[in-house]
Amino acid sequence: LANMGIRLPVCTLGENGAVCRYQGALLSARAPAIQLVSAVGAGDAFLAGFVLSISRLEPVKDALAFAVRCGASAASLPESGRIDPNQCR
């Protein structure tokens, strides 16, 4: 993706967290251990967390970690599209 001109490519890796390339460096964030209930909406929660953090001008590494925690929270809950804000901190 970076070779295609995408400035901030991000890839989720499920239980293995996520990676992104920023300013030539490969950044990664580990996913917290959870009991998977449903992955429906986890990617959406990840993206929402990432965009929120980036819009607040937080460092990309921190934004990636926050996004991974948001996705993991969504995957650990029975209701699709919901997160527990306490799990995202």
Coordinates of all heavy atoms in Angstrom, one line a residue:
L1 N 0.8 -1.2 0.0 CA 0.0 0.0 0.0 C 0.9 1.3 0.0 O 0.5 2.2 -0.7 CB -0.9 0.0 1.2 CG -2.0 -1.1 1.2 CD1 -2.8 -1.1 2.5 CD2 -3.0 -0.9 0.1
A2 N 1.9 1.2 0.8 CA 2.8 2.4 0.8 C 3.4 2.7 -0.6 O 3.6 3.8 -1.0 CB 3.9 2.2 1.9
N3 N 3.7 1.6 -1.3 CA 4.3 1.8 -2.6 C 3.3 2.4 -3.6 O 3.6 2.8 -4.7 CB 4.8 0.5 -3.2 CG 6.0 0.0 -2.4 OD1 6.7 0.8 -1.8 ND2 6.3 -1.3 -2.4
M4 N 2.0 2.3 -3.3 CA 0.9 2.9 -4.1 C 0.6 4.3 -3.8 O -0.3 4.9 -4.3 CB -0.3 2.0 -4.0 CG -0.2 0.6 -4.4 SD -1.6 -0.4 -4.0 CE -2.9 0.4 -4.9
G5 N 1.4 4.9 -2.9 CA 1.3 6.3 -2.5 C 0.4 6.6 -1.3 O 0.1 7.8 -1.0
I6 N -0.1 5.6 -0.7 CA -0.9 5.8 0.5 C 0.0 6.2 1.6 O 0.9 5.5 2.0 CB -1.7 4.5 0.8 CG1 -2.7 4.2 -0.3 CG2 -2.5 4.7 2.2 CD1 -3.4 2.8 -0.2
R7 N -0.3 7.4 2.2 CA 0.6 8.0 3.2 C 0.6 7.3 4.5 O 1.6 7.3 5.3 CB 0.3 9.5 3.3 CG 0.6 10.2 2.1 CD 0.2 11.7 2.2 NE 0.7 12.3 3.4 CZ 0.2 13.4 3.9 NH1 -0.9 14.0 3.4 NH2 0.6 13.9 5.0
L8 N -0.5 6.7 4.9 CA -0.6 6.1 6.2 C -1.4 4.8 6.1 O -2.5 4.6 6.5 CB -1.3 7.0 7.2 CG -1.3 6.6 8.7 CD1 0.1 6.4 9.2 CD2 -2.0 7.7 9.5
P9 N -0.7 3.8 5.5 CA -1.4 2.5 5.3 C -1.5 1.7 6.7 O -0.5 1.7 7.5 CB -0.5 1.7 4.4 CG 0.8 2.3 4.5 CD 0.6 3.7 4.9
V10 N -2.6 1.2 7.0 CA -2.9 0.5 8.2 C -3.5 -0.9 7.9 O -4.4 -1.0 7.0 CB -3.9 1.3 9.1 CG1 -4.2 0.5 10.4 CG2 -3.3 2.7 9.4
C11 N -3.1 -1.9 8.6 CA -3.6 -3.2 8.4 C -3.9 -3.9 9.7 O -3.0 -3.9 10.6 CB -2.6 -4.1 7.6 SG -3.2 -5.7 7.2
T12 N -5.1 -4.3 9.9 CA -5.5 -5.0 11.2 C -5.1 -6.5 11.0 O -5.2 -7.0 9.9 CB -7.0 -4.9 11.5 OG1 -7.7 -5.4 10.4 CG2 -7.3 -3.4 11.7
L13 N -4.7 -7.1 12.1 CA -4.3 -8.5 12.1 C -5.1 -9.3 13.1 O -4.5 -10.3 13.6 CB -2.8 -8.5 12.5 CG -1.9 -7.7 11.6 CD1 -0.5 -7.6 12.2 CD2 -1.9 -8.2 10.2
G14 N -6.3 -8.9 13.4 CA -7.1 -9.7 14.4 C -6.5 -9.8 15.7 O -6.0 -8.8 16.3
E15 N -6.4 -11.0 16.2 CA -5.8 -11.2 17.6 C -4.3 -10.8 17.7 O -3.8 -10.7 18.8 CB -6.0 -12.6 18.0 CG -5.2 -13.6 17.2 CD -5.5 -15.1 17.6 OE1 -6.6 -15.4 18.1 OE2 -4.6 -15.9 17.5
N16 N -3.7 -10.6 16.5 CA -2.3 -10.2 16.5 C -2.1 -8.7 16.5 O -1.0 -8.2 16.3 CB -1.6 -10.8 15.4 CG -1.5 -12.3 15.5 OD1 -1.2 -12.8 16.6 ND2 -1.9 -13.0 14.5
G17 N -3.2 -7.9 16.6 CA -3.1 -6.5 16.7 C -3.2 -5.8 15.3 O -4.1 -6.1 14.5
A18 N -2.3 -4.9 15.0 CA -2.3 -4.1 13.8 C -0.9 -3.5 13.5 O -0.1 -3.4 14.4 CB -3.4 -3.0 13.9
V19 N -0.7 -3.2 12.2 CA 0.5 -2.5 11.8 C 0.2 -1.4 10.9 O -0.9 -1.3 10.3 CB 1.4 -3.5 11.1 CG1 1.9 -4.6 12.0 CG2 0.8 -4.1 9.8
C20 N 1.1 -0.4 10.9 CA 1.0 0.7 9.9 C 2.4 1.2 9.6 O 3.3 0.9 10.3 CB 0.1 1.8 10.4 SG 0.8 2.9 11.7
R21 N 2.5 1.8 8.4 CA 3.7 2.4 8.0 C 3.6 3.9 8.1 O 2.6 4.5 7.6 CB 4.1 2.0 6.6 CG 5.5 2.6 6.2 CD 6.0 1.9 4.9 NE 6.3 0.5 5.0 CZ 7.4 0.0 5.6 NH1 8.3 0.8 6.1 NH2 7.5 -1.3 5.6
Y22 N 4.5 4.5 8.8 CA 4.4 6.0 9.0 C 5.8 6.6 8.9 O 6.7 6.1 9.6 CB 3.8 6.3 10.3 CG 3.7 7.8 10.6 CD1 2.9 8.6 9.8 CD2 4.4 8.4 11.6 CE1 2.9 10.0 10.0 CE2 4.3 9.7 11.9 CZ 3.6 10.5 11.1 OH 3.5 11.9 11.3
Q23 N 6.0 7.5 8.0 CA 7.3 8.1 7.8 C 8.5 7.1 7.6 O 9.5 7.2 8.2 CB 7.6 9.1 8.9 CG 6.6 10.3 9.0 CD 7.0 11.3 10.1 OE1 7.6 11.0 11.0 NE2 6.4 12.5 9.9
G24 N 8.2 6.0 6.9 CA 9.2 5.0 6.6 C 9.3 4.0 7.7 O 10.1 3.0 7.5
A25 N 8.7 4.1 8.8 CA 8.9 3.1 9.9 C 7.6 2.2 10.0 O 6.5 2.7 9.7 CB 9.0 3.9 11.2
L26 N 7.8 1.0 10.3 CA 6.7 0.1 10.5 C 6.4 0.1 12.0 O 7.2 -0.3 12.8 CB 7.1 -1.3 10.0 CG 6.0 -2.4 10.1 CD1 4.8 -2.0 9.2 CD2 6.5 -3.8 9.8
L27 N 5.2 0.5 12.3 CA 4.7 0.5 13.7 C 3.7 -0.6 13.9 O 3.0 -1.0 13.0 CB 4.0 1.9 13.9 CG 4.7 3.1 13.6 CD1 3.9 4.4 13.8 CD2 6.0 3.2 14.4
S28 N 3.7 -1.1 15.1 CA 2.8 -2.2 15.4 C 2.2 -2.0 16.8 O 2.7 -1.3 17.6 CB 3.5 -3.6 15.4 OG 4.5 -3.6 16.4
A29 N 1.0 -2.6 17.0 CA 0.4 -2.6 18.3 C -0.2 -4.0 18.6 O -0.8 -4.6 17.7 CB -0.7 -1.5 18.3
R30 N 0.0 -4.5 19.7 CA -0.5 -5.8 20.1 C -1.9 -5.7 20.6 O -2.3 -4.7 21.3 CB 0.4 -6.4 21.2 CG 1.7 -6.8 20.8 CD 2.4 -7.5 21.9 NE 3.7 -8.0 21.4 CZ 4.6 -8.6 22.2 NH1 4.3 -8.8 23.4 NH2 5.7 -9.0 21.7
A31 N -2.7 -6.7 20.3 CA -4.1 -6.7 20.8 C -4.1 -7.3 22.2 O -3.3 -8.2 22.6 CB -4.9 -7.6 19.9
P32 N -4.9 -6.7 23.1 CA -5.1 -7.3 24.4 C -5.7 -8.7 24.3 O -6.5 -8.9 23.4 CB -5.9 -6.3 25.2 CG -6.7 -5.6 24.1 CD -5.8 -5.6 22.9
A33 N -5.5 -9.5 25.3 CA -6.1 -10.8 25.3 C -7.6 -10.6 25.7 O -7.9 -9.9 26.7 CB -5.5 -11.7 26.4
I34 N -8.5 -11.2 24.9 CA -9.9 -11.0 25.2 C -10.6 -12.4 24.9 O -10.0 -13.3 24.4 CB -10.6 -10.0 24.2 CG1 -10.5 -10.5 22.8 CG2 -10.1 -8.6 24.4 CD1 -11.4 -9.8 21.8
Q35 N -11.8 -12.5 25.4 CA -12.6 -13.7 25.0 C -13.4 -13.2 23.9 O -14.3 -12.4 24.0 CB -13.5 -14.1 26.2 CG -14.3 -15.4 25.8 CD -15.0 -15.9 27.0 OE1 -14.7 -15.6 28.2 NE2 -15.9 -16.8 26.8
L36 N -13.2 -13.8 22.7 CA -13.9 -13.4 21.5 C -15.4 -13.8 21.6 O -15.7 -14.9 21.8 CB -13.3 -14.0 20.3 CG -14.0 -13.7 18.9 CD1 -13.9 -12.3 18.6 CD2 -13.4 -14.6 17.8
V37 N -16.2 -12.8 21.4 CA -17.7 -13.0 21.4 C -18.2 -12.9 19.9 O -18.8 -13.8 19.4 CB -18.4 -12.1 22.3 CG1 -19.9 -12.2 22.2 CG2 -18.0 -12.2 23.8
S38 N -17.8 -11.8 19.3 CA -18.2 -11.6 17.9 C -17.3 -10.6 17.3 O -17.1 -9.5 17.8 CB -19.6 -11.2 17.8 OG -20.0 -10.8 16.4
A39 N -16.7 -10.9 16.1 CA -15.8 -9.9 15.4 C -16.6 -8.9 14.6 O -16.1 -8.0 14.1 CB -14.8 -10.7 14.6
V40 N -18.0 -9.1 14.5 CA -18.8 -8.1 13.8 C -18.6 -6.7 14.4 O -18.9 -6.5 15.5 CB -20.3 -8.6 13.8 CG1 -21.1 -7.5 13.1 CG2 -20.4 -9.9 13.1
G41 N -18.2 -5.8 13.5 CA -18.1 -4.4 14.0 C -16.7 -4.1 14.6 O -16.4 -2.9 14.8
A42 N -15.8 -5.1 14.8 CA -14.5 -4.8 15.4 C -13.7 -4.0 14.5 O -13.0 -3.0 14.9 CB -13.8 -6.1 15.7
G43 N -13.7 -4.2 13.2 CA -13.0 -3.4 12.2 C -13.5 -1.9 12.2 O -12.7 -1.0 12.1
D44 N -14.8 -1.8 12.3 CA -15.4 -0.4 12.3 C -14.9 0.3 13.6 O -14.6 1.5 13.5 CB -16.9 -0.5 12.3 CG -17.4 -1.1 11.0 OD1 -16.8 -0.8 9.9 OD2 -18.4 -1.9 11.0
A45 N -14.9 -0.4 14.7 CA -14.5 0.2 16.0 C -13.0 0.6 15.9 O -12.6 1.6 16.4 CB -14.8 -0.8 17.1
F46 N -12.2 -0.3 15.3 CA -10.8 0.0 15.1 C -10.6 1.3 14.3 O -9.9 2.2 14.7 CB -10.1 -1.2 14.4 CG -8.7 -0.8 14.0 CD1 -7.6 -1.2 14.8 CD2 -8.4 -0.2 12.8 CE1 -6.3 -0.8 14.5 CE2 -7.1 0.1 12.4 CZ -6.1 -0.2 13.3
L47 N -11.3 1.4 13.2 CA -11.2 2.5 12.3 C -11.6 3.8 13.0 O -11.0 4.9 12.9 CB -11.9 2.3 11.0 CG -11.8 3.5 10.0 CD1 -10.4 3.7 9.6 CD2 -12.7 3.2 8.8
A48 N -12.7 3.7 13.7 CA -13.3 4.9 14.5 C -12.2 5.3 15.5 O -12.0 6.6 15.6 CB -14.6 4.5 15.1
G49 N -11.7 4.4 16.2 CA -10.7 4.8 17.2 C -9.4 5.4 16.6 O -8.9 6.4 17.1
F50 N -9.0 4.9 15.5 CA -7.8 5.4 14.8 C -8.1 6.8 14.3 O -7.3 7.7 14.5 CB -7.4 4.5 13.7 CG -6.1 4.8 13.1 CD1 -4.9 4.5 13.8 CD2 -5.9 5.4 11.9 CE1 -3.6 4.7 13.3 CE2 -4.7 5.7 11.3 CZ -3.5 5.4 12.0
V51 N -9.2 7.0 13.6 CA -9.5 8.3 13.1 C -9.7 9.3 14.2 O -9.2 10.5 14.1 CB -10.8 8.2 12.2 CG1 -11.3 9.6 11.8 CG2 -10.5 7.4 10.9
L52 N -10.4 8.9 15.3 CA -10.5 9.8 16.4 C -9.2 10.3 17.0 O -8.9 11.5 17.2 CB -11.3 9.2 17.5 CG -11.5 10.0 18.8 CD1 -12.3 11.2 18.6 CD2 -12.2 9.1 19.9
S53 N -8.3 9.3 17.2 CA -7.0 9.7 17.7 C -6.2 10.6 16.8 O -5.5 11.5 17.2 CB -6.2 8.4 18.0 OG -6.7 7.7 19.1
I54 N -6.2 10.2 15.5 CA -5.4 11.0 14.5 C -6.0 12.4 14.5 O -5.3 13.4 14.4 CB -5.4 10.3 13.2 CG1 -4.6 9.0 13.2 CG2 -4.9 11.3 12.1 CD1 -3.1 9.2 13.5
S55 N -7.3 12.5 14.5 CA -8.0 13.9 14.5 C -7.6 14.7 15.7 O -7.7 15.9 15.6 CB -9.5 13.7 14.3 OG -10.1 13.3 15.5
R56 N -7.3 14.1 16.8 CA -6.8 14.8 18.0 C -5.3 15.0 18.0 O -4.8 15.5 19.0 CB -7.2 14.0 19.2 CG -8.7 13.9 19.4 CD -9.0 13.1 20.7 NE -10.5 13.1 21.0 CZ -11.1 12.4 21.9 NH1 -10.4 11.5 22.5 NH2 -12.3 12.5 22.1
L57 N -4.7 14.7 16.9 CA -3.3 14.9 16.7 C -2.4 14.1 17.6 O -1.3 14.6 18.0 CB -2.9 16.4 16.7 CG -3.7 17.3 15.7 CD1 -3.3 18.8 15.9 CD2 -3.4 16.9 14.3
E58 N -2.9 13.0 18.1 CA -2.1 12.1 18.9 C -1.0 11.4 18.1 O -1.2 11.2 16.9 CB -3.0 11.1 19.6 CG -4.0 11.8 20.5 CD -5.0 10.8 21.2 OE1 -4.9 9.6 21.0 OE2 -6.0 11.3 21.8
P59 N 0.1 11.0 18.7 CA 1.1 10.3 17.9 C 0.5 9.0 17.2 O -0.4 8.4 17.8 CB 2.1 9.9 19.0 CG 1.9 10.9 20.1 CD 0.4 11.2 20.1
V60 N 1.0 8.8 16.0 CA 0.5 7.6 15.3 C 0.6 6.3 16.1 O -0.3 5.5 16.1 CB 1.1 7.5 13.9 CG1 0.7 6.3 13.2 CG2 0.8 8.8 13.1
K61 N 1.7 6.1 16.7 CA 1.9 4.9 17.5 C 0.8 4.8 18.6 O 0.2 3.7 18.8 CB 3.2 4.9 18.2 CG 3.5 3.7 19.1 CD 4.0 2.6 18.3 CE 4.5 1.4 19.2 NZ 4.6 0.2 18.5
D62 N 0.4 5.9 19.2 CA -0.6 5.9 20.3 C -2.0 5.7 19.6 O -2.8 4.9 20.2 CB -0.6 7.2 21.1 CG 0.7 7.3 21.9 OD1 1.4 6.4 22.1 OD2 0.9 8.5 22.3
A63 N -2.2 6.3 18.5 CA -3.5 6.1 17.8 C -3.7 4.7 17.4 O -4.8 4.1 17.5 CB -3.5 7.0 16.5
L64 N -2.6 4.0 16.9 CA -2.7 2.6 16.5 C -3.1 1.7 17.7 O -3.9 0.9 17.6 CB -1.4 2.1 15.9 CG -1.4 0.8 15.2 CD1 -2.3 0.7 14.0 CD2 0.0 0.4 14.8
A65 N -2.4 2.0 18.8 CA -2.7 1.2 20.1 C -4.1 1.4 20.5 O -4.8 0.4 20.9 CB -1.7 1.6 21.1
F66 N -4.6 2.6 20.5 CA -5.9 2.9 20.9 C -6.9 2.2 20.0 O -7.9 1.6 20.5 CB -6.2 4.5 20.9 CG -7.6 4.9 21.3 CD1 -8.0 4.8 22.6 CD2 -8.5 5.3 20.3 CE1 -9.3 5.1 23.0 CE2 -9.7 5.7 20.7 CZ -10.2 5.6 22.0
A67 N -6.7 2.3 18.7 CA -7.6 1.7 17.8 C -7.7 0.1 18.0 O -8.7 -0.4 17.9 CB -7.1 2.0 16.3
V68 N -6.5 -0.5 18.3 CA -6.5 -1.9 18.5 C -7.3 -2.2 19.8 O -8.1 -3.2 19.8 CB -5.1 -2.4 18.7 CG1 -5.0 -3.8 19.2 CG2 -4.4 -2.4 17.3
R69 N -7.2 -1.4 20.8 CA -8.0 -1.7 22.0 C -9.5 -1.5 21.7 O -10.3 -2.2 22.2 CB -7.6 -0.8 23.1 CG -6.2 -1.1 23.7 CD -5.8 -0.4 24.9 NE -5.9 1.1 24.8 CZ -4.8 1.8 24.5 NH1 -3.7 1.3 24.1 NH2 -5.0 3.2 24.4
C70 N -9.9 -0.5 20.9 CA -11.3 -0.3 20.5 C -11.8 -1.5 19.7 O -12.9 -2.0 20.0 CB -11.4 1.0 19.7 SG -11.2 2.5 20.5
G71 N -11.1 -2.0 18.8 CA -11.5 -3.2 18.0 C -11.6 -4.4 18.9 O -12.6 -5.2 18.8
A72 N -10.7 -4.6 19.9 CA -10.7 -5.7 20.8 C -12.0 -5.6 21.7 O -12.6 -6.6 22.0 CB -9.4 -5.8 21.6
S73 N -12.2 -4.4 22.1 CA -13.4 -4.2 23.0 C -14.7 -4.6 22.2 O -15.5 -5.3 22.8 CB -13.5 -2.7 23.4 OG -14.7 -2.5 24.2
A74 N -14.8 -4.2 21.0 CA -16.0 -4.5 20.2 C -16.1 -6.0 20.0 O -17.2 -6.6 20.1 CB -15.9 -3.8 18.8
A75 N -15.0 -6.7 19.8 CA -15.0 -8.1 19.6 C -15.3 -8.9 20.9 O -15.8 -10.1 20.8 CB -13.7 -8.6 19.1
S76 N -15.2 -8.3 22.0 CA -15.4 -9.0 23.3 C -16.9 -8.8 23.8 O -17.2 -9.4 24.8 CB -14.5 -8.5 24.4 OG -14.8 -7.1 24.8
L77 N -17.7 -8.0 23.1 CA -19.0 -7.7 23.6 C -20.1 -8.3 22.6 O -19.8 -8.5 21.4 CB -19.3 -6.2 23.6 CG -18.3 -5.4 24.6 CD1 -18.6 -3.9 24.4 CD2 -18.6 -5.9 26.0
P78 N -21.2 -8.7 23.2 CA -22.2 -9.4 22.4 C -23.0 -8.5 21.4 O -23.5 -8.9 20.4 CB -23.2 -10.0 23.4 CG -23.0 -9.2 24.6 CD -21.6 -8.7 24.6
E79 N -23.0 -7.2 21.7 CA -23.8 -6.2 20.8 C -22.8 -5.7 19.8 O -21.8 -5.1 20.0 CB -24.3 -5.0 21.7 CG -25.1 -5.4 22.9 CD -24.3 -5.5 24.1 OE1 -23.1 -5.2 24.1 OE2 -24.8 -6.0 25.1
S80 N -23.2 -5.9 18.5 CA -22.4 -5.4 17.4 C -22.4 -3.9 17.4 O -23.4 -3.2 17.7 CB -23.0 -5.8 16.1 OG -23.0 -7.2 16.0
G81 N -21.2 -3.3 17.1 CA -21.1 -1.9 17.0 C -20.9 -1.1 18.3 O -21.1 0.1 18.4
R82 N -20.7 -1.9 19.4 CA -20.5 -1.2 20.7 C -19.1 -1.5 21.2 O -18.5 -2.5 20.9 CB -21.5 -1.8 21.7 CG -23.0 -1.5 21.3 CD -23.9 -1.8 22.4 NE -23.7 -1.0 23.6 CZ -24.4 0.1 24.0 NH1 -25.4 0.4 23.3 NH2 -24.1 0.7 25.1
I83 N -18.6 -0.6 22.1 CA -17.4 -0.8 22.8 C -17.6 -0.4 24.2 O -18.5 0.3 24.6 CB -16.2 0.1 22.2 CG1 -16.6 1.6 22.3 CG2 -15.9 -0.3 20.7 CD1 -15.4 2.5 22.1
D84 N -16.7 -0.8 25.1 CA -16.6 -0.4 26.4 C -15.5 0.6 26.5 O -14.3 0.3 26.4 CB -16.4 -1.6 27.4 CG -16.2 -1.2 28.8 OD1 -16.1 0.0 29.1 OD2 -16.2 -2.1 29.7
P85 N -15.8 1.9 26.7 CA -14.7 2.9 26.7 C -13.6 2.6 27.7 O -12.5 3.0 27.5 CB -15.5 4.2 27.1 CG -16.9 4.0 26.7 CD -17.1 2.5 26.9
N86 N -14.0 1.9 28.8 CA -12.9 1.6 29.8 C -11.9 0.6 29.3 O -10.8 0.6 29.7 CB -13.6 1.0 31.1 CG -14.4 2.1 31.8 OD1 -14.0 3.2 31.9 ND2 -15.6 1.7 32.3
Q87 N -12.3 -0.2 28.3 CA -11.4 -1.2 27.7 C -10.5 -0.5 26.7 O -9.5 -1.1 26.3 CB -12.2 -2.3 27.0 CG -12.9 -3.2 28.0 CD -13.7 -4.3 27.3 OE1 -14.2 -4.1 26.2 NE2 -13.9 -5.4 27.9
C88 N -10.9 0.6 26.2 CA -10.1 1.3 25.2 C -9.0 2.2 25.7 O -8.2 2.7 25.0 CB -11.1 2.1 24.3 SG -12.3 1.1 23.4
R89 N -9.0 2.5 27.0 CA -8.1 3.4 27.6 C -6.7 2.8 27.6 O -6.4 1.7 27.7 CB -8.5 3.8 29.0 CG -9.7 4.6 29.0 CD -10.2 4.9 30.3 NE -11.6 5.3 30.2 CZ -12.1 6.2 30.9 NH1 -11.5 6.8 31.9 NH2 -13.4 6.6 30.8

